[in-house]
């Protein structure tokens, strides 16, 4: 087993609990960590033997473009999509951050992290 990570993905999107947040938008960050068998790709040097980073990014982008009220919901959707699209992934962890959330004070980011382990077959 090994880990594939895409860290520091950044998006401008229209998520938020308040209607105003969904109108003006904000900057968000996403970190993805996937546990999968990397031996075949390591031996063959073939993209088909691993998780394609470009597809991983595009799936995340597609979810980020669909508004959500809560970071928890957004992270859950991304996690569902990744587990569906990449059956070879055994475990996945998704962190979604909202930069400068409207809390009435200084906060660089609010972050939610969800993880899932695929059931043994």
């Amino acid at each position: 087993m090994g880990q594939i990570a895409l860290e520091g993905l950044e998006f401008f999107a229209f998520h938020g609990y308040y209607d105003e947040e969904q109108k003006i938008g904000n900057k968000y960050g996403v970190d993805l960590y996937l546990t999968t068998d990397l031996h075949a790709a390591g031996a063959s040097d073939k993209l088909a033997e691993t998780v394609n980073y470009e597809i991983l990014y595009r799936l995340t982008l597609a979810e980020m473009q669909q508004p959500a009220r809560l970071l928890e919901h957004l992270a859950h959707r991304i996690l569902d999509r990744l587990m569906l699209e990449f059956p070879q992934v055994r475990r996945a962890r998704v962190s979604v951050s909202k930069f400068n959330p409207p809390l009435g004070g200084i906060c660089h980011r609010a972050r939610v992290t969800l993880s899932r382990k695929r059931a043994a077959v």
Side-chain angles (χ1 to χ4, degrees), residues 29-84:
V30 177
D31 297 312
L32 307 172
Y33 301 92
L34 309 176
T35 301
T36 188
D37 188 343
L38 299 176
H39 295 292
S44 71
D45 201 25
K46 293 182 180 175
L47 184 58
E49 301 280 357
T50 191
V51 174
N52 184 320
Y53 309 158
E54 185 178 4
I55 294 172
L56 188 55
Y57 176 83
R58 279 189 281 171
L59 294 175
T60 304
L61 174 62
E63 292 302 326
M64 290 300 294
Q65 291 175 334
Q66 300 300 314
R69 295 278 182 193
L70 301 177
L71 294 179
E72 292 85 345
H73 179 70
L74 185 55
H76 182 79
R77 282 193 344 224
I78 293 169
L79 193 56
D80 280 351
R81 186 88 181 262
L82 299 181
M83 295 301 275
L84 177 68

